[in-house]
Amino acid sequence: MEALKKLPLFLILIFSLFLLPREAYPVTKEVSVLLEQDTSGGSLSGTGIKLIDPDGKETVLSGTVTIQNRGSGEISAGNNIFKTPLKAVSDSPMKYNGRAYRGCFVFKNSSNGFKVSNIVDLEQYLRGVIKAEMDPKWDIEAVKAQCILARTFAVRAGGKHGEDDVCDGYHCQVYKGISGEDKAADRAIEETSGLILRWKGNPASVYYHSDSGGMVTSSCNVWGGDMPYLKPKAEPFSYSGPNSLWETSVTMSFIQSRLSANGTNIGTLISITPLKRDESGRIMKIEIKGTGGTKVISGYTFRNLLGAGKVKSTLFEFGSRSPFINEERGSLPAPRAPNKNINMPSAAKVTEKTDLSEMPEDKEEKLIWLTEKKVFTTLELMEILSKPDDYDLFIEKGIARAEGRLPMPEQPAERTVEDLPETTEMTDIIYSPHLSMTSAAGQNVKILGRGSGHGVGMSQWGAKTMAEKGWTFTQILYYYFPGTTIGQ
């Protein structure tokens, strides 16, 4: 969005006032993404990179330069030395350590070197997130639900990493910059533009995970802190994902070494016993007995100690696998289809010709005017403004669309708060799991589990299945987050 900053102020106001729904978050809302912390060096690449120091002095570089920590709040870029914070901007995307990003970079001093942040428009940030978090080839209604949760997470995160809103890894949301972009994901982002999930008017605390294994759980059971819309419940449909069923084997000595590395020394391990399961069957407390004592830890801690790659969820048993909801669905009532009134309006395709008689002369004004007339979509305009050398080609394309010589784009339907219900009643499937409390003992421990991730909020494989069954993204989100609302 750097090209937008070069536009006269009144054009930006036009862009904000006329291009967007009145309740929408401005497309210029930015997210600060932490890319690296406490690093000693990296590389910056691009064309016409403008480096701006704390006093506003500008230095223009092109090509690839090495960024190195100099100590005392200074870094070097090539042969130049700068005080931090140092801002890097360009009309074209830049690369940091070989990965291309939109927006700008900020280099700041940190305790053991410097840190690198990518300041990027919220919607452009999502373009680098969605493919990394969900396969955009899945049914678009599931991808739309993912877009709304990812956007809500970023909006609510504010300062999750101090001066930065989010990081680029699994701790927050995986963000891969331009390399993570995808046309199918772009469509879902645009068709949900500005929409977030709200609880009592504020951005909701949203969570999602890969696979619930058949039942989601509550935030209270995992981290503490009760959220009325994050409760244990069964998935409405059975499905089979790559981690719906899994098993792993570890040695008792490995578990003992992991405990010792984290400050727990209870001698040679004798047994590991589940003490308490939550309503979804996930282990909440687990007892570890050794020759030097006994330690009770949470299932969440046990999973983290062994590694999420080995223990994919806390929905597991030792030694054998008991029947669970997907094996017992025949005895349960079929899921009731949700109220179709909660469908959002679908995108409308504009087909009428556009009167070009009042189109302004200035090229940038023409492009914004054409977007106001829905000849271009907002997402298209954001791309166009980053390519000033191609303005003439885009204007020709816009005129061809306006005159009916090329098809018009699909535009996200306008939405108002009145389009969105306050609450939506959906009947939950009542299921009480009865999983084994058998202990693990001996040299080798066999763990048999279900699902992948913490199990709170939306199950991505569950959402995929709902979408394939005809559910819209609103129906999916209202099932996993009952009582919330979707709005700008």
Side-chain angles (χ1 to χ4, degrees), residues 176-196:
K176 294 188 175 181
I178 292 175
S179 67
E181 295 178 4
D182 178 271
K183 289 184 179 180
D186 285 350
R187 177 189 167 194
I189 292 167
E190 185 171 356
E191 292 188 7
T192 61
S193 178
L195 292 179
I196 65 170

Side-chain angles (χ1 to χ4, degrees), residues 341-357:
N341 291 333
I342 68 172
N343 279 313
M344 295 288 287
S346 59
K349 192 165 185 177
V350 183
T351 55
E352 66 270 15
K353 293 183 179 181
T354 302
D355 181 5
L356 299 174
S357 61

Side-chain angles (χ1 to χ4, degrees), residues 349-354 370 373-376 398 400-404 406-411:
K349 192 165 185 177
V350 183
T351 55
E352 66 270 15
K353 293 183 179 181
T354 302
L370 287 167
K373 300 297 182 182
K374 302 189 183 303
V375 174
F376 293 116
R401 284 179 175 180
E403 293 178 344
L406 287 176
M408 295 284 267
E410 289 190 351
Q411 296 279 353

Side-chain angles (χ1 to χ4, degrees), residues 180-333:
E181 295 178 4
D182 178 271
K183 289 184 179 180
D186 285 350
R187 177 189 167 194
I189 292 167
E190 185 171 356
E191 292 188 7
T192 61
S193 178
L195 292 179
I196 65 170
L197 204 64
R198 292 182 176 274
W199 171 252
K200 295 185 177 179
N202 297 314
S205 293
V206 296
Y207 302 94
Y208 55 89
H209 57 281
S210 175
D211 186 336
S212 74
M215 291 189 74
V216 297
T217 189
S218 70
S219 58
C220 182
N221 288 339
V222 179
W223 307 294
D226 187 37
M227 295 289 179
Y229 49 89
L230 295 172
K231 297 295 186 184
K233 64 166 59 180
E235 297 282 1
F237 303 102
S238 176
Y239 59 83
S240 180
N243 291 308
S244 295
L245 295 174
W246 55 266
E247 63 179 74
T248 188
S249 294
V250 295
T251 62
M252 195 69 84
S253 60
F254 172 77
I255 300 173
Q256 182 178 320
S257 68
R258 297 302 301 143
L259 286 167
S260 297
N262 285 272
T264 299
N265 296 290
I266 54 174
T268 303
L269 297 194
I270 300 170
S271 64
I272 305 173
T273 307
L275 293 183
K276 182 181 180 182
R277 294 183 181 274
D278 70 10
E279 302 94 324
S280 72
R282 287 170 172 79
I283 294 178
M284 295 185 69
K285 291 183 180 181
I286 194 165
E287 178 190 78
I288 304 175
K289 184 180 293 185
T291 56
T294 299
K295 180 75 173 178
V296 175
I297 62 176
S298 70
Y300 185 72
T301 299
F302 181 80
R303 180 186 179 222
N304 287 340
L305 282 174
L306 270 62
K310 289 183 178 293
V311 182
K312 299 180 185 297
S313 75
T314 57
L315 187 55
F316 64 83
E317 301 167 278
F318 293 118
S320 62
R321 195 188 301 278
S322 303
F324 196 57
I325 182 170
N326 286 344
E327 293 82 36
E328 300 184 331
R329 284 188 184 269
S331 62
L332 300 173

